[in-house]
Amino acid sequence: MDITLALGGGGAKGNSHIGVLRRLEKEGYQIRAVAGTSFGGLVAILYAAGKSPDAIESAFLAVDQNSLYGRDRNEGPSVLGLAGLRKFLDPLLSGVTFENMKIPCAVTAVDVKSGNEVILSTGSALDAVYATIALPGIFPPHHLGDWELMDGGVLNPVPVNVARKLAPNLPVIAVSLNNSLDEPVPDYPVPVPPIVPKRIAERITRTNLAQAYDIFMRAVDLSSRAVAHYRLEVDAPDVIIRPDVHHIDLLSKVDVHQVALLGERATEAVLPQIKQVASWSGRLKRKLAGAFK
């Protein structure tokens, strides 16, 4: 049974994508193409490059989450940097291009200069990752040619339309990590390295910069929820998987395995729907609907 996936953004919540992939494989589904945004873009690229869900989980488990967001001198304007993440990703994806991936893949970004969405599906996988995860203001934008790229979730939090273009005849299973519009917006404390003494860390959290960070992140959260809600209504994936990850913040330190389990459970809950759309009758219905458009 062949399907294609659209993996949504959500920072640390995106570890649940691992469980989604693992459960779909366990049920015998063949994932023929995958599109992603932000953390979903990272997981999409790793999977398309041939890494199994277990291998992705093992790689993420090995990461020191306390050192991911350090800055180096060459990074652009941002609250946090990607120095630690680069040390992790550069060797993991060295030499990987979209052209040598095992299945079709694309990730989304947004060009700061033009305001246009950019679909990345050729060239360096590393360039694509650093573009799609560049949360505006929080991480530095990624320069690629004439583009100055930031997180694709700004315009397309769950890239259903991109997944559909990769495999037009297959059902699109979307994984949305955004909170619903009616849920309260959480606080977003500014990340403080664990080496900072507790007394100083408490002072930092009371600064104007920390409070501005909190307000900005709340605004990002709200706009992302709204855009995801309306895009999913318009783009109409065949099935939506919604892992219960709403208690996790974008930059939370998490137990990767436990978050992956949340993805497995959410996938299990919608398996009857996926089976229906991936069946021969579901495929026939989709073809007929396309013929009359």
Side-chain angles (χ1 to χ4, degrees):
M1 293 179 286
D2 296 343
I3 57 174
T4 184
L5 293 183
L7 304 182
K13 302 175 186 181
N15 289 285
S16 60
H17 290 314
I18 299 169
V20 173
L21 292 167
R22 183 155 48 215
R23 188 55 194 266
L24 289 171
E25 284 193 349
K26 182 179 179 181
E27 294 297 320
Y29 289 99
Q30 300 291 320
I31 300 166
R32 298 301 186 186
V34 58
T37 292
S38 197
F39 200 109
L42 168 59
V43 175
I45 283 174
L46 290 171
Y47 186 75
K51 299 190 181 301
S52 69
D54 287 347
I56 296 172
E57 181 176 300
S58 295
F60 288 177
L61 283 169
V63 174
D64 178 5
Q65 295 182 45
N66 291 319
S67 63
L68 283 177
Y69 307 127
R71 295 184 57 83
D72 63 37
R73 295 178 181 177
N74 299 320
E75 291 187 308
S78 60
V79 175
L80 302 174
L82 294 173
L85 193 60
R86 290 182 190 278
K87 288 181 182 178
F88 163 61
L89 287 178
D90 285 2
L92 192 64
L93 289 171
S94 176
V96 176
T97 67
F98 285 94
E99 289 76 14
N100 61 25
M101 289 181 181
K102 306 299 182 184
I103 60 174
C105 177
V107 303
T108 66
V110 176
D111 179 29
V112 176
K113 297 176 182 177
S114 66
N116 293 328
E117 183 177 30
V118 176
I119 309 301
L120 299 170
S121 59
T122 61
S124 164
L126 279 169
D127 277 327
V129 167
Y130 293 133
T132 196
I133 67 172
L135 189 66
I138 305 305
F139 298 132
H142 185 72
H143 294 269
L144 184 60
D146 293 331
W147 292 323
E148 188 175 356
L149 299 174
M150 62 181 175
D151 194 319
V154 171
L155 295 178
N156 200 350
V158 190
V160 173
N161 61 323
V162 180
R164 188 168 283 130
K165 288 178 181 177
L166 291 175
N169 298 319
L170 297 182
V172 177
I173 313 303
V175 186
S176 177
L177 308 179
N178 296 91
N179 292 1
S180 62
L181 294 174
D182 59 351
E183 288 189 43
V185 182
D187 295 330
Y188 283 95
V190 66
V192 179
I195 60 172
V196 175
K198 183 178 180 182
R199 176 174 54 85
I200 297 177
E202 289 175 350
R203 289 182 182 178
I204 291 174
T205 60
R206 293 194 295 268
T207 64
N208 286 338
L209 177 60
Q211 293 173 30
Y213 171 86
D214 176 53
I215 293 170
F216 177 76
M217 290 300 291
R218 290 183 189 215
V220 169
D221 187 334
L222 284 169
S223 62
S224 182
R225 294 185 199 191
V227 174
H229 175 78
Y230 296 122
R231 285 298 303 253
L232 286 171
E233 284 195 344
V234 171
D235 293 333
D238 295 273
V239 177
I240 302 176
I241 300 174
R242 299 183 185 273
D244 184 13
V245 292
H246 308 312
H247 58 289
I248 301 172
D249 293 339
L250 291 172
L251 303 179
S252 291
K253 298 177 182 67
V254 298
D255 182 325
V256 173
H257 181 67
Q258 290 301 315
V259 179
L261 286 176
L262 297 176
E264 291 192 47
R265 291 170 191 160
T267 305
E268 181 178 3
V270 297
L271 282 176
Q273 296 176 50
I274 298 174
K275 183 177 180 180
Q276 183 176 14
V277 300
S279 67
W280 70 267
S281 58
R283 296 196 302 270
L284 178 61
K285 185 186 231 181
R286 194 162 40 256
K287 286 182 180 180
L288 290 174
F292 287 102
K293 280 187 178 179

